[in-house]
């Protein structure tokens, strides 16, 4: 691991105190399939990603990734050196239950238990996600997220993991990004890659039901063990802003259709009309019991934020002339993060017991150029992006939104799914040949910022 020198006074971006609360959580995120590698080690089962890449052999895959599975101790030491207060990772369902149901692979569970111990021993709080897109292949074979049976197996899996780790992990998340899991069913850019648009509401609704079932199982465990768990879910939210005044209705409709309907389900217990119409058209049955399950209170909401979209009068997403974009083609426009959070607070903040809970930004980051040189990895674009977004978050906090933490995506360069290793989001560089880790300028700036802010 390389940790180059960094001078806060010469930093191109300020190292300053932010106005957040005392206990604000400074962290970084990863996910199992993107960093672990070791896909055939210690009894891990097959996931839908092995099937996805088997059909697309020209693409990079996660067989090696960052080899985090075998370098975990070194990686935690690096987090400690950076001063991270929290680390958000995901548990691989096929590593823990190779067929998705039935026999538990103790060796897989042991890995996460060792990871949690290592984090705690280094003063880093674990934030655990149960599902970050690596469904066991055996679950896809029985319908994947189109199936209610899989939702039930997911709740059983949650129970297995909490049984083992609930004594040490307080922060639990059921799912990462429902809308992107759905994307794997309606498109082909992510596993399982079914390209069937009719599945949109069906899969999204089943995922919320699975969230509700798992939440129930976790709550039950929590009350039996008096553990004081914090339970939540992570959504990726992309605000749709109108290109012109006359596009206001179209922009709102876009936001509801693709993003806010999950929050309507979680916090209001009812989907917006535009989604109910699509459900009716595609034959999705939504019962009152389902909505009750979905509308259970949660303790925090994780928000993954990368970009905004601008929508015209006809409901199309348009490119903003002169917009600055990342290598993903995502517009960099931090003020929209403030606006979105303030708007969410107004819409979901006063709904009684099921109101929107405190928020963590569970992912934020950018794929931009890295200049690898002997004295370090220079990425001033990412540093600026990160600074601008934390500042935008601070604005929302000052406007009264209850924001408790920020997690950089990602701790380290990793497999960006079907885009392979070419799009790097890490605040730590990973050499693709040697897998050596070098903290990038952004990581050094982030470490200095954490030092300045943690009192
Ligand atoms: C998010 C995913 C994460 C990563 C980033 C760039 O949608 O949660 O795994 O791919 O995008």
């Amino acid at each position: 691991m390389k940790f180059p020198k960094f001078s806060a006074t010469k930093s191109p971006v300020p190292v300053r105190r932010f106005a957040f609360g005392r206990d604000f959580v400074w962290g970084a995120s990863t996910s199992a399939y993107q960093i672990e590698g070791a896909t055939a080690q210690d009894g891990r089962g097959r996931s839908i990603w092995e099937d996805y890449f088997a059909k697309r052999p020209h693409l990079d895959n996660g067989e090696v990734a960052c080899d985090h599975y075998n370098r975990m101790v070194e990686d935690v030491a690096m987090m400690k050196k950076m001063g991270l207060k929290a680390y958000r990772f995901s548990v691989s369902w096929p590593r823990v239950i190779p067929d998705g149901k039935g026999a538990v692979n103790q060796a897989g569970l042991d890995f996460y238990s060792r990871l949690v111990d290592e984090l705690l021993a280094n003063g880093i709080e674990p934030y655990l996600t149960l599902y970050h897109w690596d469904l066991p292949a055996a679950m896809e074979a029985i319908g994947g997220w189109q199936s209610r049976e899989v939702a039930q197996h997911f709740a059983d899996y949650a129970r297995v993991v909490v049984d083992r780790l609930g004594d040490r992990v307080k922060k639990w998340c059921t799912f990462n990004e429902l809308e992107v899991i759905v994307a794997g069913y309606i498109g082909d850019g992510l596993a399982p890659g079914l390209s069937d648009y009719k599945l949109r509401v069906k899969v999204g609704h089943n995922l919320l039901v699975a969230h509700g079932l798992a939440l129930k199982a976790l709550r039950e465990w929590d009350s039996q063990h008096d553990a004081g768990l914090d339970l939540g879910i992570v959504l990726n939210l992309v605000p749709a802003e109108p290109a012109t005044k006359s596009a206001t209705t179209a922009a709102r409709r876009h936001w509801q259709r693709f993003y806010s309907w999950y929050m309507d389900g979680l916090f209001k217990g009812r989907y917006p009309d535009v989604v109910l119409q699509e459900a009716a058209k595609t034959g999705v049955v939504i019962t009152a019991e389902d909505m009750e399950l979905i509308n259970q209170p949660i303790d925090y909401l994780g928000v993954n934020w990368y970009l905004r979209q601008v929508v015209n009068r006809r409901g199309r997403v348009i490119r903003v002339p002169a917009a600055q974009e990342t290598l993903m083609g995502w517009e960099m426009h931090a003020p929209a993060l403030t606006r979105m959070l303030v708007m969410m607070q107004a819409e979901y903040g006063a709904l009684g017991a099921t109101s929107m809970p405190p928020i963590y930004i569970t992912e934020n980051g950018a794929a931009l150029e890295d200049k690898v040189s002997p004295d370090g990895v220079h990425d001033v674009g990412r540093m600026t992006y990160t600074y601008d977004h934390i500042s935008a978050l601070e604005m929302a906090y000052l406007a009264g939104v209850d924001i408790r933490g920020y997690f950089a995506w990602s701790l380290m360069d990793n497999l960006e799914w079907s885009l392979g290793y070419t799009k790097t989001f890490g605040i730590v560089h990973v050499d693709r040949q040697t897998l050596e880790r070098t903290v990038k300028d952004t990581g050094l700036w982030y470490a200095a910022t954490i030092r300045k802010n943690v009192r």
Side-chain angles (χ1 to χ4, degrees):
M1 179 222 313
K2 285 197 203 143
F3 208 99
K5 291 234 157 350
F6 178 79
S7 157
T9 47
K10 289 195 200 126
S11 168
V13 164
V15 174
R16 69 166 173 95
R17 276 236 177 136
F18 288 92
F20 301 116
R22 263 189 159 274
D23 298 324
F24 192 79
V25 175
W26 297 91
S29 286
T30 62
S31 89
Y33 188 73
Q34 291 176 281
I35 64 161
E36 285 179 3
T39 47
Q41 218 173 305
D42 295 341
R44 178 185 177 278
R46 203 178 163 82
S47 84
I48 51 175
W49 286 94
E50 279 86 80
D51 289 343
Y52 182 86
F53 287 124
K55 287 194 202 119
R56 297 162 180 86
H58 58 289
L59 299 178
D60 291 332
N61 62 48
E63 235 167 78
V64 177
C66 306
D67 195 31
H68 167 74
Y69 188 77
N70 296 302
R71 296 167 191 242
M72 179 273 283
V73 173
E74 179 201 334
D75 286 338
V76 175
M78 179 175 77
M79 296 178 214
K80 162 93 175 172
K81 199 152 180 209
M82 294 172 77
L84 297 185
K85 294 292 142 211
Y87 173 54
R88 172 174 174 259
F89 63 95
S90 77
V91 172
S92 158
W93 182 357
R95 208 181 272 296
V96 171
I97 307 180
D99 293 328
K101 61 172 179 172
V104 172
N105 176 34
Q106 286 305 331
L109 261 184
D110 288 348
F111 168 72
Y112 297 105
S113 181
R114 287 198 307 276
L115 167 63
V116 166
D117 285 345
E118 195 66 26
L119 290 168
L120 294 175
N122 284 284
I124 301 167
E125 179 162 26
Y127 279 61
L128 185 152
T129 298
L130 285 164
Y131 188 85
H132 197 127
W133 311 354
D134 48 354
L135 187 70
M139 293 289 98
E140 187 55 35
I142 59 168
W145 294 114
Q146 299 178 60
S147 146
R148 285 297 178 104
E149 197 188 325
V150 170
Q152 192 53 61
H153 294 317
F154 177 69
D156 296 343
Y157 153 66
R159 177 84 204 195
V160 166
V161 182
V162 76
D163 256 338
R164 182 69 189 275
L165 302 178
D167 59 338
R168 285 158 290 155
V169 175
K170 297 285 171 230
K171 298 281 198 265
W172 292 75
C173 157
T174 52
F175 283 98
N176 178 68
E177 301 193 347
L178 304 186
E179 185 260 345
V180 186
I181 303 172
V182 170
Y185 286 80
I186 65 177
D188 69 356
L190 295 159
L194 300 190
S195 300
D196 184 352
Y197 202 79
K198 287 191 306 299
L199 296 177
R200 204 182 79 84
V201 176
K202 181 179 188 180
V203 170
H205 177 66
N206 275 351
L207 285 165
L208 281 173
V209 169
H211 157 81
L213 291 170
L215 201 70
K216 252 189 143 165
L218 294 168
R219 283 265 182 252
E220 209 176 274
W221 190 95
D222 188 27
S223 63
Q224 283 160 1
H225 295 81
D226 207 7
L229 305 185
D230 276 340
L231 309 178
I233 187 168
V234 167
L235 301 176
N236 62 306
L237 299 175
V238 178
E241 301 200 319
T244 55
K245 199 151 182 253
S246 60
T248 308
T249 309
R252 167 123 185 113
R253 213 176 138 85
H254 184 93
W255 162 249
Q256 289 184 324
R257 257 191 93 189
F258 296 107
Y259 298 100
S260 73
W261 71 286
Y262 300 109
M263 290 191 283
D264 283 17
L266 292 166
F267 305 136
K268 296 181 176 170
R270 187 181 193 278
Y271 296 141
D273 289 342
V274 52
V275 168
L276 290 174
Q277 283 152 15
E278 189 174 333
K281 252 199 226 143
T282 52
V284 186
V285 180
I286 296 168
T287 65
E289 293 79 62
D290 288 352
M291 293 318 292
E292 218 173 281
L293 204 54
I294 292 167
N295 191 213
Q296 295 171 72
I298 52 176
D299 305 312
Y300 71 92
L301 173 68
V303 174
N304 292 355
W305 204 92
Y306 290 93
L307 71 157
R308 70 153 177 180
Q309 284 176 335
V310 175
V311 169
N312 71 11
R313 203 153 45 89
R314 305 218 308 279
R316 299 246 163 78
V317 175
I318 59 160
R319 272 191 87 174
V320 177
Q324 289 196 1
E325 292 177 352
T326 69
L327 298 176
M328 302 287 280
W330 296 347
E331 189 192 359
M332 297 189 272
H333 187 80
L337 172 60
T338 313
R339 293 194 285 270
M340 181 189 83
L341 291 168
V342 168
M343 181 256 290
M344 280 162 55
Q345 179 67 33
E347 177 146 14
Y348 303 107
L351 297 170
T354 62
S355 283
M356 184 173 84
I359 289 178
Y360 292 85
I361 297 299
T362 34
E363 286 181 25
N364 173 243
L368 289 165
E369 221 70 67
D370 296 318
K371 250 186 79 213
V372 182
S373 64
D375 65 338
V377 181
H378 307 307
D379 60 341
V380 67
R382 181 175 298 106
M383 208 194 270
T384 308
Y385 177 98
T386 309
Y387 176 76
D388 287 350
H389 283 78
I390 298 175
S391 300
L393 200 61
E394 181 186 42
M395 293 286 281
Y397 177 79
L398 291 172
V401 185
D402 188 357
I403 297 157
R404 303 279 176 96
Y406 176 89
F407 291 74
W409 181 271
S410 173
L411 172 67
M412 57 186 150
D413 292 344
N414 57 46
L415 179 79
E416 182 47 32
W417 308 105
S418 54
L419 301 178
Y421 298 99
T422 53
K423 301 284 184 280
T424 53
F425 283 83
I427 58 173
V428 173
H429 175 262
V430 177
D431 183 289
R432 277 322 310 155
Q433 255 64 55
T434 62
L435 300 182
E436 188 182 15
R437 281 75 159 137
T438 304
V439 182
K440 298 182 193 177
D441 288 352
T442 299
L444 298 169
W445 169 84
Y446 193 53
T449 297
I450 296 174
R451 269 201 306 280
K452 183 127 209 142
N453 281 273
V454 173
R455 287 152 253 178

